[in-house]
Amino acid sequence: MYETTYHRASSVADAVRIAGESGGEGKFLSGGMTLLPTMKQRLAAPSDLIDLRHVPEMKGIAVDARRVCIGGGMTHGEIAESADIRAVAPGFAELAGLIGDPAVRHMGTIGGSVANNDPAADYPAALLALDGLIHTDRREVPAADFFRGLFETALEEGEIVTAVSFEAPDASAYEKFRNPASRYAMCGAYVARRGTDVRVGVTGAGADGVFRWSAAEQALTQTFDPAALDRLTVDAGLMLSDLHGSSIYRANLVTVVTKRAVAKVA
Amino acid sequence: MTAIAMVVNGREATAEVADRTLLVQFLRDTLHLTGTHVGCDTSQCGACVVHLDGKAVKSCTLLAVQASGAHVTTIEGLAPAGDLHPVQAAFREHHGLQCGFCTPGMIMTAVDMIARHDGALDEKTVRDELEGNLCRCTGYHNIVKAILAAAESTRSAGTPLAAE
Ligand SMILES: Cc1cc2nc3c(=O)[nH]c(=O)nc-3n(C[C@H](O)[C@H](O)[C@H](O)COP(=O)(O)OP(=O)(O)OC[C@H]3O[C@@H](n4cnc5c(N)ncnc54)[C@H](O)[C@@H]3O)c2cc1C
Ligand code: FES
Ligand code: FES
């Protein structure tokens, strides 16, 4: 790891100020479960690290009727175990419990994951399907506008994800087909149903990152049954291809995994 | 360089460290607590697991400065010198190790796992929760057995398991 200078922010304003002083070469540090491995490989060399783990405003989970608001500093483990989230959106809590392993879940945060937008990260699929909002220190961005391709988001220089929120649907579920070595999603599908309206968010498979599968949404809005997807496939040309699986393999996975998610909801 | 202070295995530890020092380097090189191992550079193997404020974390993926102000427990701090913690005893009893390289991390993960589930563990849960701990020798079978036995014994004894 290259040399760096550590700062511990005590508030969002404090973090923004330190980031400003670092002249654009600093990075926020939340759980460090993505950033530190990257720094160890010398693929990132931030001049400064601004630790957000001790920022009180980014903590807490509030469920008000069906509106769920999760502080950006909440860990995957805290989200997975939250009785309040489980009561209204058990699929979301289950998703958090499938991230990495217990030690990763004790440190890694939803704010860090959303900001990172790894094409195989789990939360983006759910936030797209749930029409979630990403709250930052300066605005609120709908998930559909926030996630912009591989590791790309709407975040500006020095902008902090302070929370995410969504309206709990009538029912939802996540199905994840894991890479057996890394345990990241080779394909993950989050299916959310509100009345007859259905949303499907897919991660791990798209060449341009997380996406909504609209053809499946239309078919499921007519008939909410896995069989409704029997004849549907995504365009393999738009899928990722790497040593873990070809784009044709991934295109098939999208159908298989989405059907399993629908079966869980139904 | 930053001055850090944390409680490691019940004792105050203070030092000046370079900000990029990993917690595992601080534990091993500065405090000479070499029970915590490093088995990979991809945050996947879990040989380095310690407890940070009572929770299992990978000390290879945490800076020492991040842990400043916290309580850290390593494998050395689980039981008083000369004694074995119930999970350590179960690993011995059930032959949950061969070369022993993964063992400290396995045991720290197991103690955390048993505490979080209040001792109520089944085989599937144990195997799922060992996701972040790799063993190249045992085939996991006896590790799972040891953890289930330790969970069972702490449940029946009603003793709190966490050392911190
Ligand atoms: C072994 C292992 C397995 C994993 N498996 C999975 C998996 O199955 N699924 C999955 O989704 N993820 C997985 N991850 C990644 C994990 O979920 C990370 O926790 C997450 O991607 C990043 O969150 P973090 O809090 O650790 O962020 P950090 O690593 O601290 O930061 C990541 C990036 O986001 C920036 N950042 C951090 N917080 C904020 C914020 N609040 N606002 C703005 N920018 C911010 C940082 O500057 C950095 O660029 C795995 C990681 C490991 C080590
Ligand atoms: S050394 Fe920490 S996970 Fe391998
Ligand atoms: S006992 Fe040798 S690696 Fe587990």
Side-chain angles (χ1 to χ4, degrees):
Chain A
M1 191 183 293
Y2 292 109
E3 275 184 45
T4 187
T5 303
Y6 173 89
H7 311 263
R8 190 174 282 189
S10 56
S11 65
V12 170
D14 193 32
V16 170
R17 179 187 58 77
I18 304 169
E21 287 167 2
S22 82
E25 297 300 314
K27 267 189 175 291
F28 298 117
L29 175 66
S30 285
M33 292 297 106
T34 293
L35 184 52
L36 291 174
T38 316
M39 289 175 69
K40 284 167 67 178
Q41 309 280 356
R42 296 197 164 187
L43 295 172
S47 61
D48 297 79
L49 287 176
I50 304 129
D51 190 348
L52 302 176
R53 265 179 76 235
H54 303 267
V55 173
E57 303 117 278
M58 290 171 61
K59 297 282 160 68
I61 292 172
V63 178
D64 183 7
R66 299 196 62 81
R67 185 91 206 150
V68 179
C69 187
I70 305 172
M74 297 309 281
T75 64
H76 313 324
E78 288 163 334
I79 294 168
E81 277 159 32
S82 161
D84 290 342
I85 297 180
R86 277 165 183 244
V88 296
F92 195 87
E94 191 195 332
L95 172 149
L98 290 172
I99 297 176
D101 57 59
V104 168
R105 295 196 288 274
H106 280 150
M107 290 300 296
T109 67
I110 191 166
S113 176
V114 163
N116 195 52
N117 192 19
D118 187 301
D122 297 294
Y123 293 121
L127 292 171
L128 269 191
L130 293 167
D131 249 335
L133 275 182
I134 318 300
H135 304 248
T136 77
D137 59 302
R138 51 197 84 157
R139 58 193 170 136
E140 291 171 5
V141 189
D145 302 329
F146 185 86
F147 299 112
R148 297 198 176 156
L150 311 179
F151 300 103
E152 290 288 330
T153 66
L155 286 176
E156 293 162 1
E157 189 81 38
E159 189 169 5
I160 301 177
V161 176
T162 52
V164 304
S165 67
F166 58 86
E167 195 75 24
D170 295 344
S172 70
Y174 185 60
E175 177 72 19
K176 178 175 184 177
F177 188 88
R178 299 170 123 178
N179 175 315
S182 76
R183 311 306 278 180
Y184 269 93
M186 295 275 294
C187 175
Y190 199 93
V191 174
R193 188 175 60 74
R194 299 174 201 273
T196 52
D197 184 60
V198 181
R199 299 287 169 93
V200 179
V202 179
T203 189
D208 202 25
V210 66
F211 65 92
R212 263 177 65 189
W213 187 13
S214 353
E217 293 178 352
Q218 281 157 21
L220 291 166
T221 299
Q222 276 165 16
T223 324
F224 195 75
D225 188 285
L229 305 181
D230 277 348
R231 279 165 219 283
L232 279 186
T233 41
V234 290
D235 179 355
L238 301 175
M239 296 300 111
L240 270 174
S241 188
D242 57 23
L243 80 163
H244 307 297
S246 66
S247 50
I248 295 170
Y249 177 77
R250 276 201 170 79
N252 186 55
L253 264 187
V254 172
T255 304
V256 171
V257 169
T258 307
K259 283 169 79 170
R260 288 184 189 167
V262 172
K264 272 194 190 170
V265 180
Chain B
M1 300 290 278
T2 299
I4 59 169
M6 64 186 88
V7 177
V8 180
N9 299 334
R11 267 193 241 146
E12 186 78 29
T14 53
E16 279 269 319
V17 297
D19 292 10
R20 62 175 164 177
T21 310
L22 298 171
L23 178 62
V24 70
Q25 294 171 324
F26 176 66
L27 293 173
R28 289 180 56 89
D29 302 345
T30 308
L31 302 184
H32 305 296
L33 293 168
T34 53
T36 303
H37 293 165
V38 176
C40 75
D41 57 9
T42 52
S43 311
Q44 284 175 308
C45 78
C48 62
V49 170
V50 302
H51 294 182
L52 180 74
D53 290 328
K55 289 183 176 161
V57 299
K58 292 179 169 175
S59 63
C60 73
T61 313
L62 190 75
L63 300 173
V65 281
Q66 280 177 284
S68 189
H71 284 252
V72 173
T73 306
T74 70
I75 188 75
E76 290 91 344
L78 274 188
D83 270 356
L84 290 184
H85 180 278
V87 177
Q88 290 174 309
F91 268 66
R92 184 171 70 176
E93 169 77 19
H94 294 274
H95 206 72
L97 59 147
Q98 288 179 22
C99 80
F101 193 84
C102 70
T103 313
M106 286 286 177
I107 288 177
M108 297 312 284
T109 296
V111 171
D112 169 84
M113 183 194 311
I114 296 170
R116 260 185 303 110
H117 292 268
D118 239 343
L121 286 172
D122 54 30
E123 180 177 343
K124 181 176 182 310
T125 310
V126 173
R127 288 188 185 271
D128 280 354
E129 293 234 345
L130 285 181
E131 186 50 61
N133 291 79
L134 301 182
C135 175
R136 285 296 182 238
C137 306
T138 63
Y140 300 96
H141 208 63
N142 287 349
I143 293 176
V144 175
K145 258 199 229 166
I147 296 173
L148 286 171
E152 186 53 41
S153 71
T154 45
R155 230 166 120 77
S156 46
T159 42
L161 197 75
E164 51 274 337

